Amino acid sequence: MEWWTLGLSLGVLVAAVIAVATAGTAHACSCIERELDDYADGISVAFAGDQLGRVVHDHFEDNGAALLVRVERVYKGEAGPRIEVRTHAQGDPACGIDVGGHGTVGVVAHEWRNELSVNLCGSIVAIAEMEEVFGEGYPPDESISLPVSPNTGSDTLIVVLVAAGTLLLLTVGVVARRRSIAKRPRG
């Protein structure tokens, strides 16, 4: 086996492994309708607020998008005037949410991987239902500042660098093969 064939084969193998290892999970968001009272005990924070922004840190992570929310009223747990909750970056098909432009909404978040997590299935709740389950609520705690999110999206950078390196290897292999063919005597 010639060196370029070995290099090309190795590059294809690496590309295939990367494609399989980094492929996003196929999701089809399907929610079971439940009453808030049925899962209220497992909620870390319940609040009413208005989404100020949405930033995608990593398309490959389940909690790869951050929603920044201005908190108007807290119904359970502790929250400052602004809170960050995490959701799937790919939106509805993967049960991620984006409530920007919808005004004040009721949000319930669960602690997951040391972050407050929300999703399409049960995280957006009518404020009247939250008041029915938790009471009238209370103002956000001004002494609580927004924590800095630990997820910086570094996984995506690694994937991009490995993919670029694989592409470079494949290109070198193809060029080397063409030169090898061109040097062969004809005839």
Side-chain angles (χ1 to χ4, degrees):
M1 184 179 267
E2 292 185 38
W3 68 271
W4 62 267
T5 308
L6 181 62
L8 186 60
S9 299
L10 183 60
V12 170
L13 178 63
V14 169
V17 168
I18 290 170
V20 170
T22 62
T25 306
H27 294 279
C29 191
S30 171
C31 303
I32 298 171
E33 201 166 318
R34 302 182 300 173
E35 297 296 320
L36 178 60
D37 201 27
D38 295 338
Y39 61 99
D41 290 341
I43 294 169
S44 300
V45 180
F47 60 92
D50 184 19
Q51 181 177 314
L52 299 173
R54 183 175 193 272
V55 177
V56 175
H57 293 287
D58 193 331
H59 285 282
F60 298 105
E61 285 292 317
D62 286 336
N63 268 358
L67 305 179
L68 177 61
V69 181
R70 180 181 46 81
V71 178
E72 294 179 14
R73 197 118 185 108
V74 182
Y75 295 93
K76 180 180 181 184
E78 297 179 0
R82 293 176 192 255
I83 193 167
E84 179 183 277
V85 293
R86 303 300 295 251
T87 192
H88 202 289
Q90 296 178 15
D92 290 355
C95 294
I97 63 171
D98 184 354
V99 291
H102 294 284
T104 302
V105 294
V107 179
V108 296
H110 304 277
E111 180 101 11
W112 189 62
R113 294 183 182 172
N114 297 319
E115 298 172 323
L116 289 175
S117 181
V118 294
N119 62 51
L120 197 58
C121 300
S123 289
I124 305 303
V125 178
I127 294 171
E129 187 177 3
M130 288 204 310
E131 289 175 347
E132 184 180 306
V133 172
F134 298 119
E136 67 183 49
Y138 39 93
D141 186 340
E142 297 290 331
S143 69
I144 298 175
S145 62
L146 182 67
V148 176
S149 174
N151 186 347
T152 60
S154 59
D155 294 345
T156 300
L157 179 61
I158 291 169
V159 169
V160 168
L161 289 174
V162 170
T166 302
L167 218 75
L168 180 63
L169 277 173
L170 286 170
T171 302
V172 167
V174 168
V175 169
R177 183 172 188 269
R178 287 185 179 168
R179 285 186 179 172
S180 163
I181 292 171
K183 288 182 182 179
R184 289 185 187 160
R186 300 184 194 256

